[in-house]
Amino acid sequence: TEWNREKIIIGHTDVPFTEAGLRQANELAALLKPIRFSAVYASDSPRAFHTTEIVAGIKSSSIKKMVELRERDFSLFEGMPATLFMEQNKESFLAKNALPEQEQWHFKTAGCVESDDSIVTRTISILRHISRSHLRETVLVGTHGGPIRFLLVKLGFARYGSLPGGSFKNCGY
């Protein structure tokens, strides 16, 4: 999106694709074309849902929208440049970083931004539901960078804090 390019916090806000975003979705669709998906799930965020629709190559009515697959809720900070968000919440980030790791998972920046634990808990919960519903099937799940990063940490593929925002590219898989 234009906000991605300008490093503006998106979260749950609906921001349309750029030409580059559309190209990325089509490139991923071409790469995954040989795979037959038994089911397709996507975040109910329009940008993630549209990406999933392109990648899956199916009608949107066949895709199950899931609120649990949304990006982090940045609350009143959505639409703000990331540098300004970091500057305005410098003390909050310092307080978080001073905590033991387990407490950092539950920390809410500025008291209102969704915690890392909340993101990963809802992501794991819905993925568990999806996997139980589709045993031995190939399923496509379209979500956002934040949920993917925190899932990878919880699964032991990275250490907490080692995958900052932007470390998982758009249309990554």
Side-chain angles (χ1 to χ4, degrees):
T1 69
E2 192 64 38
W3 284 17
N4 288 129
R5 188 176 16 228
E6 294 177 18
K7 299 192 181 338
I8 294 174
I9 295 172
I10 300 175
H12 292 183
T13 304
D14 181 19
V15 181
F17 279 167
T18 60
E19 286 299 317
L22 188 57
R23 185 182 68 252
Q24 289 171 330
N26 283 305
E27 288 170 359
L28 182 57
L31 182 67
L32 299 181
K33 187 174 177 118
I35 301 172
R36 296 280 177 235
F37 297 106
S38 301
V40 180
Y41 292 81
S43 164
D44 67 342
S45 161
R47 66 187 185 276
F49 188 83
H50 186 55
T51 301
T52 306
E53 185 178 37
I54 292 168
V55 171
I58 62 174
K59 294 179 182 175
S60 60
S61 61
S62 300
I63 301 171
K64 296 165 187 81
K65 286 185 180 182
M66 309 301 286
V67 67
E68 297 90 344
L69 294 170
R70 282 184 181 178
E71 181 59 277
R72 179 190 304 269
D73 178 3
F74 282 94
S75 187
L76 57 107
F77 297 105
E78 294 195 11
M80 176 182 281
T83 53
L84 182 58
F85 171 71
M86 300 296 281
E87 180 65 30
Q88 285 186 0
N89 293 287
K90 193 181 329 182
E91 296 300 319
S92 190
F93 285 113
L94 289 172
K96 177 182 180 181
N97 292 335
L99 296 172
E101 182 178 310
Q102 192 55 37
E103 290 179 41
Q104 288 184 40
W105 276 100
H106 297 278
F107 190 88
K108 294 178 95 173
T109 304
C112 63
V113 175
E114 185 178 15
S115 72
D116 302 342
D117 182 69
S118 174
I119 296 166
V120 78
T121 298
R122 66 180 161 80
T123 303
I124 289 172
S125 177
I126 196 60
L127 290 176
R128 184 175 289 130
H129 169 77
I130 291 168
S131 65
R132 286 180 178 161
S133 300
H134 299 281
L135 295 173
R136 295 182 223 15
E137 296 179 38
T138 302
V139 177
L140 176 65
V141 178
T143 187
H144 305 268
I148 293 170
R149 289 191 330 270
F150 292 117
L151 177 65
L152 290 173
V153 169
K154 276 294 186 184
L155 293 176
F157 289 98
R159 286 188 11 249
Y160 184 77
S162 67
L163 297 174
S167 60
F168 199 85
K169 69 177 189 161
N170 292 329
C171 288
Y173 61 96

